[in-house]
Amino acid sequence: MTDPARPALARLASWLRCPVCGRDLEPLDRLTLGCAEGHRHDVNKRGYVSLLGGGSKLVGDSAEMLDARDVVLEGGAFAPIASAVAAAAQPAEGSRTLDAGAGTGYYLRAAVASAPDAIGLAMDLSPAAVARAARSSARVDGLVADTWRPLPVRSQNVDVVLDVFAPRNLPEFHRVLRPGGRLVVVVPRADHLGSLRQAGTMLDIPTDKAEDVIAAAGALYAPLTREHVSYALALDDALRVALAGMGPSARHADAAPAPADETTVSVDVLSFEAR
């Protein structure tokens, strides 16, 4: 009898290399991946694998932050951004998309849904986030890993890399992309959610972030497109609280959410081609 877990595990393994030696990972049994050097990595019963290893001092998003993110994203507040990401990614039929800092997988699902048989790998530092992303779609696999370390992803194995409001490891993204592959980066503008920031409930955003990304990417990527997504977002109490609680501001802000009825969503969606 064929083990029904085997195809899913084989697909998960097809993305990955061993974080210890860099050899390709393969399924050994229904809950273990291994490489030719004998290193073994357990797969979580929820269908994802942690290849984080020891030594990382970074902390992933908490369950409370993810709940807040669900209120914002699944409620459609950032749907125009998701549409712009999918359009910039242009995944082909059967393509493979890695979302670095995927959170709950919202933007990744939008990208892979736009192409038949496309699949995605949701990578995040937070096991709770990866668990949610992996169970949110049959097209999405899950990986717990640190963006700042060498990625446990096979070289030239990915057609598209997404980086939405997340840290960027441009050399590693370039390594995992196939030649001519596409990188999509979303960065906030200084006026993004400005009415909430005025009350001190959210962290300030440095100006010229898009220009900084374009300059940093120049050695490895050719710029393709830049779209400014901007619109007014109506706020109620639940959305105000969720916006303040879904990101890094949740760990820093002490004030109550600003009593604004509206705020501005303002981001740049950038796309590049791997040289």
Side-chain angles (χ1 to χ4, degrees), residues 17 98 123 146-147 149-153 169 172-173 175-176:
R17 68 177 192 173
L98 165 66
M123 186 185 85
D146 185 350
T147 299
R149 293 183 171 186
L151 303 183
V153 176
N169 189 335
E172 278 295 284
F173 294 169
R175 179 185 62 78
V176 305

Side-chain angles (χ1 to χ4, degrees), residues 147-181:
T147 299
W148 294 119
R149 293 183 171 186
L151 303 183
V153 176
R154 300 183 189 188
S155 297
Q156 298 187 3
N157 189 40
V158 174
D159 299 292
V160 181
V161 172
L162 305 182
D163 184 277
V164 184
F165 303 125
R168 292 174 294 278
N169 189 335
L170 295 176
E172 278 295 284
F173 294 169
H174 187 269
R175 179 185 62 78
V176 305
L177 277 169
R178 294 192 173 103

